[in-house]
Amino acid sequence: EDQVTQSPEALRLQEGESSSLNCSYTVSGLRGLFWYRQDPGKGPEFLFTLYSAGEEKEKERLKATLTKKESFLHITAPKPEDSATYLCAELNRYNTDKLIFGTGTRLQVFP
Amino acid sequence: NAGVTQTPKFQVLKTGQSMTLQCAQDMNHEYMSWYRQDPGMGLRLIHYSVGAGITDQGEVPNGYNVSRSTTEDFPLRLLSAAPSQTSVYFCASSYEGQGYGYTFGSGTRLTVV
């Protein structure tokens, strides 16, 4: 069964302390890997789509990368406003109506 | 402001009651979806629509109905509420298709007692 696993579940960083979040997927025939940010009490906000291994995308302090088995969300010199839950999701080429979400990594950045 | 509007934001139902969660978007997106979010389980697809008049089931459709009479609106109906339907419900829309650049609403927090 297709599965998306995110780690760690929670991450506490000091402002400026760079780190990475992991998203492992098990589907064969990946059509797309997506990253979203979710603030408390709000809906997820779209960040990136990655389509193939080796692809990278950047937005401000965030960079998403993709390998054949996992995706990383690198956070460089984070600020307190980067605190949120980060979700990844995969779309299967053979079952395109089923977007599988991970349970997220809750990131807290302290000044 | 352009986006996805969900109403109500909060709702408490008694077991067996029915209700409709409203979702409207003003971005002329063809693709719309309903998800539920439960602690430790991630977002799960309930129903989706690829355009007016076309709907299909997602991962957890039981107990829910949808219709899509216009491009803008995609209401979710709970037929007979059960405590297992206590959750946060999100509506999302996209120009391209599921997952691609989804715009999510702010959610409806539903409690069934």
Side-chain angles (χ1 to χ4, degrees):
Chain A
E1 184 175 312
D2 299 343
Q3 190 171 355
V4 174
T5 303
Q6 291 189 247
S7 62
E9 288 187 12
L11 182 62
R12 293 163 57 98
L13 297 175
Q14 202 73 30
E15 184 172 3
E17 180 187 2
S18 301
S19 188
S20 297
L21 313 182
N22 177 266
C23 172
S24 297
Y25 61 93
T26 58
V27 70
S28 58
L30 181 73
R31 182 174 174 182
L33 189 291
F34 309 91
W35 283 98
Y36 287 82
R37 167 190 171 132
Q38 186 173 23
D39 293 299
K42 295 188 177 181
E45 176 187 350
F46 173 74
L47 293 174
F48 305 110
T49 304
L50 301 167
Y51 295 98
S52 58
E55 189 175 1
E56 298 183 352
K57 289 192 176 174
E58 289 188 66
K59 180 180 180 179
E60 297 181 354
R61 295 176 292 282
L62 301 177
K63 182 169 78 172
T65 62
L66 183 66
T67 73
K68 288 185 178 179
K69 293 184 178 181
E70 56 195 347
S71 178
F72 294 94
L73 186 65
H74 307 278
I75 304 176
T76 302
K79 297 182 178 181
E81 53 262 42
D82 295 321
S83 297
T85 295
Y86 290 87
L87 305 171
C88 75
E90 64 175 12
L91 192 63
N92 186 330
R93 178 177 303 165
Y94 305 111
N95 190 3
T96 56
D97 62 350
K98 191 175 182 181
L99 186 67
I100 308 295
F101 277 88
T103 54
T105 294
R106 188 173 65 255
L107 173 67
Q108 292 178 294
V109 182
F110 295 93
Chain B
N1 291 336
V4 177
T5 302
Q6 289 185 239
T7 55
K9 292 190 180 301
F10 301 94
Q11 183 71 47
V12 179
L13 287 179
K14 293 183 178 180
T15 298
Q17 286 185 316
S18 62
M19 78 159 295
T20 299
L21 279 61
Q22 301 292 342
C23 175
Q25 53 92 8
D26 58 2
M27 298 171 286
N28 202 32
H29 286 173
E30 290 294 330
Y31 201 102
M32 296 186 74
S33 300
W34 275 102
Y35 285 87
R36 60 178 289 174
Q37 188 172 39
D38 301 292
M41 298 195 71
L43 285 154
R44 291 181 293 168
L45 181 66
I46 304 171
H47 285 286
Y48 67 99
S49 169
V50 299
I54 306 170
T55 64
D56 207 344
Q57 297 180 352
E59 184 183 0
V60 287
N62 293 340
Y64 308 95
N65 270 353
V66 291
S67 60
R68 184 94 179 271
S69 56
T70 67
T71 299
E72 295 77 20
D73 299 301
F74 191 43
L76 178 72
R77 298 182 186 85
L78 279 69
L79 309 173
S80 177
S84 61
Q85 294 178 304
T86 294
S87 186
V88 181
Y89 292 84
F90 289 102
C91 179
S93 74
S94 169
Y95 179 75
E96 295 181 70
Q98 186 169 183
Y100 300 92
Y102 260 158
T103 299
F104 279 85
S106 58
T108 295
R109 184 174 294 275
L110 175 69
T111 302
V112 182
V113 298

